Amino acid sequence: MLNFDESRVRQEHENGIALIPAVEKVVDDICVEGYSSIIFMGIGGTYLYAGQLMHTAKQMGCTLPLYLENAADFLYEGTPFLDDKSVVVIASISGDTPEVVEAVDKVHKAGARVIGYVEKEGTPLYEKSDYLIHTVGGEYYFWYAVTLRFMKNKGQFEKYDQFFSEIKEMPENVVQIYKDADAEMREYAEKYCDEPLTYLVGSGNLEDWAVCYGMCIMEEMQWMRTRPISAANFFHGTLEVIERDIPVMLIKGEDVTRPEMDRVEKFVQTISAKVTVFDTMNYKLNGISPEFRGMLSPIVMRAAFQRLNVHLEDCRKHPIAIRRYYRRLNY
């Protein structure tokens, strides 16, 4: 397989599993101390990763005071849910995203605490996190552990222990997903890498993944023009601009919103000749109970799409590390 480091992939997901006990202790300590609100905060990809867990929590019936804020909007708008007993949760690979750094300073001025997943040591967010979780490649597991531990401690996830016992199987499952997805992703990249516009549709806990992939990978890293849209909103505008030669990428998961995607798929298959369906149901998850597959769709889909990254990079002859403006100019 092209540019596939199996040991690195496995290790990153094992790192994610390894951080769970540390997250549990942090959340348990906070629950003992008490809190008024839990605010997930991020920008770009981190905001969209957190959003996927917000969907999952909602579908599970979570009634905690759990909120999602964009860091840049927060700097101007603020939020009425922040006070000195709030807990703000962030994640950052670089550790120095300007909007998040400034937002954390504002949070601290309010007297609130920050749980931070930060990969790069010695960075501003590494230093500013009141409760630091540090590893490489474990961001999804961080969001799952934070969200579900708060829910468990409030009596809102009775199968918590079973879920986290089974999630230990994901590193091996993810490695296999990389392998199983490779041919399909290579075929997609070869067919559609030079399209002038691509529509991406997702629903539920993959709605934000569709936005994330379109914005953070295809646009930022490949300079491809995209239009992500939720399945819920697709029939309120976007359907009118789908034509025979318009590529539509359907990102289907297994949560309760899957019928929304079925409805979109039925429509676009009658209009466009360039429809591609990526479906988490096509991948085996050994050791995972069927009831948890929908919850884990974000990890599954990200694993599959890591192979699309590689093949888009190869077909377009455009290394994903190259940027024209992002972190290149002052803006």
Side-chain angles (χ1 to χ4, degrees), residues 14-31:
E14 289 177 350
N15 291 346
I17 298 299
L19 65 74
I20 292 170
V23 173
E24 290 176 331
K25 185 180 186 308
V26 168
V27 173
D28 290 351
D29 289 346
I30 289 172
C31 288

Side-chain angles (χ1 to χ4, degrees), residues 109-125:
K109 286 181 181 178
R113 298 154 289 179
V114 175
I115 306 174
Y117 170 89
V118 186
E119 294 198 0
K120 190 171 182 181
E121 296 183 38
T123 56
L125 293 173

Side-chain angles (χ1 to χ4, degrees), residues 1-4 8-9 12 49 93 140 178 181-190 193 200 209-210 212-224 249 251 278 300-323:
M1 284 170 55
L2 180 66
N3 295 340
F4 176 53
R8 181 187 63 79
V9 171
E12 287 185 348
Y49 270 46
I93 295 175
Y140 261 132
Y178 271 63
D182 188 65
E184 180 182 30
M185 295 304 181
R186 181 177 67 249
E187 180 182 2
Y188 179 89
E190 290 172 349
C193 69
L200 299 89
W209 174 250
C212 186
Y213 198 81
M215 182 174 72
C216 298
I217 306 298
M218 297 177 77
E219 291 182 344
E220 178 187 324
M221 300 183 185
Q222 284 297 309
W223 307 345
M224 300 172 69
M249 179 192 295
I251 301 173
F278 295 120
V300 174
M301 196 58 80
R302 180 187 180 275
F305 271 63
Q306 291 302 296
R307 297 309 301 163
L308 184 54
N309 296 1
V310 169
H311 291 297
L312 285 176
E313 180 181 51
D314 182 57
C315 291
R316 291 176 59 80
K317 306 305 176 187
H318 181 140
I320 63 174
I322 293 177
R323 311 286 193 277

Side-chain angles (χ1 to χ4, degrees), residues 56-69:
T56 296
K58 179 171 65 173
Q59 292 174 19
M60 295 172 67
C62 176
T63 60
L64 295 173
L66 180 61
Y67 308 98
L68 177 62
E69 294 286 343

